[in-house]
Every structure is written in C-alpha cells, then in structure tokens.
Amino acid sequence: MTEQTKTGFFGEFGGQFVPDQVKEALNQVAAAYNQFKDDPQFQQELAYYLKDYSGRPTPLYFAESLTKYLKGAKIYLKREDLNHLGAHKLNNVLGQILLAKRMGKNKVIAETGAGQHGVATAAAAAKFGMECEIFMGAEDVERQKLNVFRMNLLGAKVHAVHTGNGTLKNAVDAAFSYFSQHLADTYYVLGSAVGPYPYPMMVKDFQSVISREAKKQILKKEGRLPDAVIACVGGGSNAIGAFAEFISDPQVRLIGAEAAGKGVDTPENAATMTNGKIGISDGMRSYVLQDDQGNILPAYSISAGLDYPGVGPEHSYLKDAKRAEYYPITDQEAVAAFVLLSKTEGIIPALESSHAVAQAVKIVPKMDPKQIVIINISGRGDKDVSQVARYLGRKI
Amino acid sequence: MTNNKPATTLTNAFKKSSKTFIGFLTAGDPTFEKSVKQILALAEAGTDIIEIGIPFSDPVADGPVIQAADLRAFAAEITTDKVFELVAAVRQKSQVPLAFLVYLNNVFKYGYEKFFKRCAKLQVGGLIIPDLPFEERAEVLPFAQKYGVALIPLVAPTSGQRIPSVVKDATGFVYAVSSMGVTGVRDQINTDLAKMVAEIHQATDVPVAIGFGIHTPQQAARVAQVADGVIVGSAIVKIIAQNKQQTLTELKKYATAMKKALSSRLNKSK
C-alpha cells in the first residue's frame, strides 16, 4: 500500500528539503541505516535491548471495564506506557543509538519539546556510555524544569535555544545546525517520524515493533485482526508504529487522533490534518499549519507532545490515499478521556494518548460488540497530573 | 535565449575590474518605504547586486540577526505581494541587479509559475532558496528555465564530491557558503575557501561569490582574493536594526568601504 515513489518520498510527500550543509550529514545517516536495517546482528542486538532494557513486549490488554462502560466494540489497549521511561519513545531511541554506535559516533544529540524524547535519549546515551547534548527551546526549558533535571541527572547537557519563540521547532533547527557542524563525532537522534529522509522511514521502522507485537497478540487472543487501530498523532511516530503492520490489511481501519486544542475553529490548535495545507517545512513536504503566505503557524495543545504544526509525511500520504482517517480531539475531550481511563481501568494515560482514548469514546459505542478496537496507549500520564489538576481547577 | 533574460543581469554584475559586492537586506525591515530607500542607497554606493530576503517564519539557514529582521518585517505586515511591489518601487529608480533569498514554502504557496513570472517581469535575476538542494530542484526548474530566472546554488564546506552536481547547470552565480551553521558575523573563517572555489570553478563557468560571516572590509578583501565576489548580510542588517536617523548614510558609507576594499590591488587573482 505505502509506496516509496522515489527515495525518501511517500507519493508526493517527504523528501529532503534542507540546506546543502545538512545534506552530507543526512546522506551518512541514510547510508548507515540502509546498511544495518536488515543486518541480523543489528536486529538481534536491538531485540535484546528492547526486551531486557525496555521491557518489551508490552502487553495487549483487554480493557474490560472500559468496554462495558462504552457498550460497543471490544477494546484492547496496547500498553506502550509500560516501556522503560513510560512511553514508546525508547523504541526509536534504542534503534538510533545502536546505529550511531555502528557508525563509530561517541556523541548523540536530540531535540525535545516537553522533554520525553530528551529523557529517553539521555537515558540510552547514559546506558551506552555516550556523550549527550539535548536542544530544547528556552520557553520549554522553563516550563519543563523536572525533565531538564532528569536529563541532567542522566548525564546530558541541555542547551536552551533562544531563537524564535523558544519551542520545539527552534530546538529542531538548532539540533540540525549543530549536527551539520559536528558530523565527525556526532549523531542526531530525531524523535518523531518527521523531517528529511531518512528519518521518517527510519523512525517508522523502529516504532513498527508496536504493531508487529499487537498483530501477533490480537491473533492469539481473538484469532482475527482488529476492526480499528486508534493512535494519537503529533509528528506521528507512535501512530505510524501502531499502523505499520496493518496498512496492508484493508479491513483494519487506521484512525489518528490529532490535537484540536481549544477547538479547530480557534487559532489555538494543532489539528494539522483538519486545518493544514500541503507545504514544505522541516525538510519535508507534508500537511502543515500555515498562513496564506506560506509562513508556518504556531501550534497549540494541552499536550506538549502533540503541539506540532506539521505531521509525518507518511501520514499525509495515508490521508490522501484514504487509507487512514484523522480526527481532531479538543483539550476538553482529551482531559475527560484521561479521567475516564484512570477511573475505569486504573491506568493513567499520557495526555497525548488520551486523545486516542477520546476518539475511541466517540466511535466505540456505535460499533458492534463483536468488533474489536485497539487503542495505542503511547505513554503514561504521571508527567501530566499537575497540568490536568490545574485544568480541572484542583489545587495539589 | 536572449541576452536580456534576468539571470544574465547577475552574471554581468561580475564582469568588472573589481570584485563584486553583494549586499543583503530583508524586505520590509523595518518598513516598506525604508526598505526601498535602503536598497537605493546601497545601489547608489556601488553595491553590485542586492539580495532581498523575503521574510519567513522558519528561516533555517539564518542566524539571530536575520531572524530578528524577519520579525521586524512581519511586524510591518510584509507579504510576498508587497515584496514584489517593493521591487517595483525600486525599479522605478534603479536597474541594480537583484536576487531574492526566499524559502521554498513561500514560493510554493504563492504559486511557482506566478512567482517566477513576476520575478522575470521585474528583472529579479535569481533566487537563492536555502532549503532546495539540487536533488529536489525539479520542483521549480521548469519555471526557472521558462522565465530565465537563475536558481543560485549554495555550496557548503561539506559539499565536497557533491559540488559538480550542485553547480551543474548553474546560472547567475554560485553562492559559496564560507562556514558551517547559519548566517551571521564571524571573526574567523576556517574553511579552505581557495580549494572550495577552485572545485566550483572546475565544474562551472558562472562566477562564485562567498558569503556567511563576512563583515569587515579587511575580511572581504582577503576572501575576494580567491573568489569573484563577496556577500554580506548580517553586517548590513545590523546597521538597519539600529534604525537611526542616519541609517542611509551609514549604509552608503559601509557599501563604499566594502567596494573600495574589493577594488584594491590585492584582488588580482583572476
């Protein structure tokens, strides 16, 4: 189904729209990735760390109480929140760090918004004895002090990026700039399935472990494929990982839940698929929130991990090919789902993942009890409790 | 192809006894009217080519100085249409060779054909598109060729073996990036520029200008020993950023000093 028309493209989406300074760096990463991705030793080593360091396979859990509550399709949760560090991020980080080691690099850098990807990278770098520097918007450094401390604790140096509005996009630019200047010893661990080739393809491959496991698990438990897979979409790495193995099974609906923030009709949203237009940004052609001049608009969501104006190019391709569907979920709906899953299943989902739960709340009651839905719980919500308390007007 | 296609205005700006001085500013920084006057002042002081930056929200190749200029231009509500109007206002008084520094999404959003057509009409000789490497050039190449507008390739210190592919089919001039990273004033340039320029010259006949980090006349004179011209951006934008009464005088003074440095006896390498 998903075809790479020319290197680095999914249909018309993707590419490598970057200054020549960055090209050499990307070419090196692409060459190494293509060399090692099918290498049995590399895969074996990755599988070992995914199992013994990260705790995979993550369970596919039958959410009986939520199923009873919603009175529709049978709901399974793919428990990515049970990974080491509490999110799917480490799947990709381990893959890329092992690649960096194979390339002879002893230093890794990463961008981070809320800090989750930065923490995962810092942890894996600590584990493998690599030097680590994290680029984070100055505004985010201020908002996410706890994660900055975590990264420091793990031995990483955190750079506050003061350009632009001091958020994720500026951190990405700063990381690419640093990468192109320190090619000899440095590897850039990009955190989502976005940006120039080879990152969207590589991150998808490393995150595909989610759907490889889920497919096996659902076949074992139910003897058949699910009717729908639901995942939240910011850049889209957990979603593409959860979709990957099901893309060629047309009977499985692939549903992405994107952040509508305060509403798709307000300026404060991150609903790229609903409000975005095709454009070229962050090194790729994809849907992106932009004004009528082609300037990229700031995105907003209560969930820092979905607060991104673009989306991975393969998602744009799947949308236009009508293979996947994308729906907006507001802050309010996400917080309600956050509370609902906590109360019904005793599982506090990340605010990001709560968007996927909220989408399930909308469609599951209309489905037949014989149908099956998998929700990808991309991360745990401990990091979000004080924010949710504030949102609900509770003092803690 | 005729001689009056826009790209040749750029190449012709190199056929002089002295090395070519290319000055950059951001359109609309700090206002539409002031930009027009600044461009005319730079031209009057002998600037050979003026590179006009179209402000963009995510200028990945630009450093803090030019990013700040973009924000000032946005505050003045500059749009792509206004940039073309600004060029039209310049053209009423001056035929100074012009190029745009523009990011691809601005051109894409405006419409490739419409953008290149307007460039040709206003004799804008070429476009420098930092986020369009040669592998993706097919995006706009048909329009560039149709309207005779140059796609000015950027060569980086790491381009190495890519150089022949990057500059193949170049028109206008080649922009050699002196240092890695983003635009901005630097005290030192560590790249072996002579080697880099020689490699470019081997692959193309169009002139080579060096940019990124150049600010003093002494630096310009040194760099010009190995190249056909120098490009100065952040240093000019810094003068504009002060937004003083005498900005125009200072711009002229700066451009005159740079021109003088580029005309000195030192620069007889070619």
Side-chain angles (χ1 to χ4, degrees):
Chain A
M1 172 69 204
T2 301
E3 52 185 291
Q4 282 187 38
T5 32
K6 60 176 187 166
T7 310
F9 280 86
F10 301 96
E12 66 172 301
F13 300 104
Q16 232 180 20
F17 295 92
V18 294
D20 220 76
Q21 290 102 295
V22 186
K23 272 296 227 189
E24 179 57 27
L26 292 173
N27 288 347
Q28 280 190 18
V29 175
Y33 167 63
N34 287 320
Q35 183 188 341
F36 290 114
K37 67 175 179 175
D38 300 319
D39 178 60
Q41 264 185 329
F42 177 81
Q43 288 301 339
Q44 212 176 357
E45 196 180 352
L46 178 58
Y48 167 77
Y49 286 110
L50 286 174
K51 179 170 177 282
D52 284 6
Y53 185 66
S54 193
R56 302 201 73 91
T58 60
L60 184 73
Y61 165 71
F62 172 45
E64 197 176 354
S65 306
L66 185 64
T67 301
K68 275 187 187 144
Y69 179 85
L70 291 177
K71 298 185 184 71
K74 203 169 176 183
I75 300 168
Y76 281 89
L77 307 179
K78 180 60 177 161
R79 299 290 309 275
E80 290 302 299
D81 57 314
L82 294 178
N83 268 304
H84 177 43
L85 304 167
H88 72 293
K89 289 288 182 191
L90 194 61
N91 302 335
N92 166 49
V93 167
L94 282 172
Q96 290 199 45
I97 286 214
L98 289 178
L99 185 69
K101 266 182 54 178
R102 291 261 191 310
M103 292 172 75
K105 306 291 172 85
N106 51 30
K107 179 173 172 184
V108 290
I109 59 166
E111 86 295 344
T112 197
Q116 297 307 110
H117 174 59
V119 168
T121 306
K127 194 255 155 296
F128 288 102
M130 296 171 100
E131 211 182 310
C132 179
E133 296 190 22
I134 303 294
F135 293 82
M136 192 170 182
E139 183 66 31
D140 289 334
V141 167
E142 199 46 46
R143 285 191 294 198
Q144 305 286 342
K145 285 184 184 147
L146 191 63
N147 271 339
V148 173
F149 179 73
R150 272 197 192 113
M151 290 183 265
N152 289 332
L153 187 68
L154 292 161
K157 185 174 167 195
V158 179
H159 295 276
V161 178
H162 290 274
T163 49
N165 55 3
T167 59
L168 180 62
K169 278 193 67 69
N170 313 109
V172 174
D173 292 347
F176 266 119
S177 173
Y178 184 94
F179 186 31
S180 61
Q181 292 174 71
H182 298 84
L183 246 190
D185 62 347
T186 303
Y187 178 91
Y188 178 14
V189 183
L190 208 147
S192 193
V194 299
Y197 173 78
Y199 285 104
M201 285 74 177
M202 180 162 66
V203 175
K204 174 198 184 184
D205 282 355
F206 291 140
Q207 291 296 358
S208 294
V209 67
I210 301 172
S211 50
R212 271 203 307 278
E213 288 176 4
K215 196 172 196 174
K216 264 193 227 152
Q217 290 165 323
I218 198 73
L219 288 174
K220 195 167 171 204
K221 285 174 196 277
E222 295 283 346
R224 69 175 187 91
L225 291 174
D227 297 278
V229 176
I230 308 176
C232 65
V233 179
S237 71
N238 91 81
I240 205 67
F243 292 173
E245 287 293 314
F246 298 108
I247 290 174
S248 52
D249 300 313
Q251 68 272 39
V252 182
R253 279 176 74 190
L254 305 176
I255 300 172
E258 62 176 4
K262 296 184 178 169
V264 291
D265 301 325
T266 73
E268 290 177 274
N269 68 75
T272 307
M273 293 303 199
T274 308
N275 287 343
K277 297 272 186 297
I278 294 172
I280 298 120
S281 164
D282 283 340
M284 60 181 172
R285 182 197 296 276
S286 199
Y287 281 92
V288 60
L289 296 174
Q290 54 184 316
D291 67 13
D292 59 356
Q293 299 297 308
N295 291 306
I296 311 307
L297 293 170
Y300 162 81
S301 164
I302 190 170
S303 146
L306 302 184
D307 184 353
Y308 179 65
V311 66
E314 190 168 5
H315 286 295
S316 293
Y317 175 81
L318 292 173
K319 172 186 152 73
D320 277 13
K322 299 198 168 17
R323 178 63 192 96
E325 311 150 52
Y326 298 86
Y327 301 101
I329 294 293
T330 63
D331 287 356
Q332 200 180 1
E333 291 165 333
V335 170
F338 180 95
V339 173
L340 177 65
L341 194 67
S342 302
K343 291 206 165 150
T344 52
E345 295 291 346
I347 294 169
I348 304 174
L351 271 174
E352 290 79 8
S353 325
S354 300
H355 286 70
V357 177
Q359 183 59 30
V361 170
K362 287 186 175 179
I363 65 165
V364 164
K366 294 177 218 156
M367 294 172 77
D368 189 281
K370 281 185 211 127
Q371 290 185 295
I372 299 167
V373 166
I374 295 176
I375 308 172
N376 194 39
I377 305 299
S378 55
R380 68 173 179 227
D382 305 56
K383 67 181 176 61
D384 298 317
V385 289
S386 61
Q387 198 182 1
V388 171
R390 258 199 316 280
Y391 186 88
L392 296 172
R394 310 262 180 86
K395 251 199 165 137
I396 48 172
Chain B
M1 290 287 170
T2 57
N3 263 345
N4 53 18
K5 71 177 186 177
T8 56
T9 62
L10 299 180
T11 315
N12 289 340
F14 285 84
K15 290 174 186 159
K16 295 187 173 179
S17 53
S18 71
K19 297 296 171 93
T20 296
F21 175 52
I22 302 170
F24 169 93
L25 50 69
T26 299
D29 169 25
T31 65
F32 181 100
E33 291 76 19
K34 284 185 178 171
S35 262
V36 175
K37 284 183 187 155
Q38 289 157 6
I39 292 167
L40 293 172
L42 286 172
E44 220 175 281
T47 308
D48 298 295
I49 296 173
I50 295 167
E51 179 191 340
I52 300 174
I54 300 183
F56 183 50
S57 56
D58 295 80
V60 292
D62 287 304
V65 172
I66 292 173
Q67 286 184 18
D70 285 355
L71 293 180
R72 291 191 295 272
F74 283 134
E77 297 182 340
I78 290 298
T79 59
T80 308
D81 269 328
K82 286 232 179 99
V83 174
F84 281 117
E85 285 168 34
L86 191 149
V87 172
V90 169
R91 281 286 176 252
Q92 287 186 353
K93 300 199 171 145
S94 169
Q95 287 309 309
V96 63
L98 296 174
F100 280 144
L101 179 286
V102 60
Y103 287 86
L104 186 59
N105 203 44
N106 283 147
V107 187
F108 174 69
K109 196 75 187 170
Y110 196 76
Y112 290 148
E113 172 115 38
K114 189 176 153 201
F115 193 97
F116 280 92
K117 195 175 174 182
R118 280 198 90 171
C119 284
K121 203 172 163 210
L122 291 164
Q123 287 284 300
V124 174
L127 305 186
I128 299 159
I129 310 179
D131 55 348
L132 186 72
F134 84 87
E135 287 90 342
E136 318 290 358
R137 213 178 283 163
E139 284 275 324
V140 296
L141 193 61
F143 307 102
Q145 286 171 337
K146 179 172 173 187
Y147 293 103
V149 174
L151 290 179
I152 296 157
L154 286 134
V155 174
T158 48
S159 294
Q161 295 181 334
R162 293 167 44 80
I163 288 176
S165 320
V166 172
V167 303
K168 186 171 81 87
D169 308 325
T171 53
F173 63 92
V174 173
Y175 191 136
V177 176
S178 73
S179 319
M180 296 303 288
V182 293
T183 56
V185 167
R186 285 171 175 78
D187 291 330
Q188 258 195 324
I189 291 168
N190 297 321
T191 308
D192 186 347
L193 296 177
K195 180 167 171 269
M196 184 172 164
V197 174
E199 282 170 12
I200 300 170
H201 274 313
Q202 271 196 345
T204 179
D205 293 332
V206 305
V208 180
I210 297 178
F212 274 43
I214 301 164
H215 59 124
T216 65
Q218 290 78 8
Q219 252 186 334
R222 222 173 323 136
V223 167
Q225 286 177 48
V226 299
D228 307 308
V230 300
I231 306 164
V232 172
S234 295
I236 291 174
V237 173
K238 274 185 168 176
I239 296 173
I240 292 169
Q242 291 171 0
N243 196 18
K244 291 190 284 202
Q245 285 254 295
Q246 63 274 33
T247 295
L248 295 181
T249 321
E250 283 186 25
L251 283 177
K252 280 188 196 172
K253 214 167 96 189
Y254 182 78
T256 308
M258 292 300 269
K259 262 318 272 183
K260 196 174 157 213
L262 295 175
S263 317
S264 64
R265 282 179 296 117
L266 274 171
N267 301 313
K268 290 280 182 321
S269 70
K270 246 194 106 187

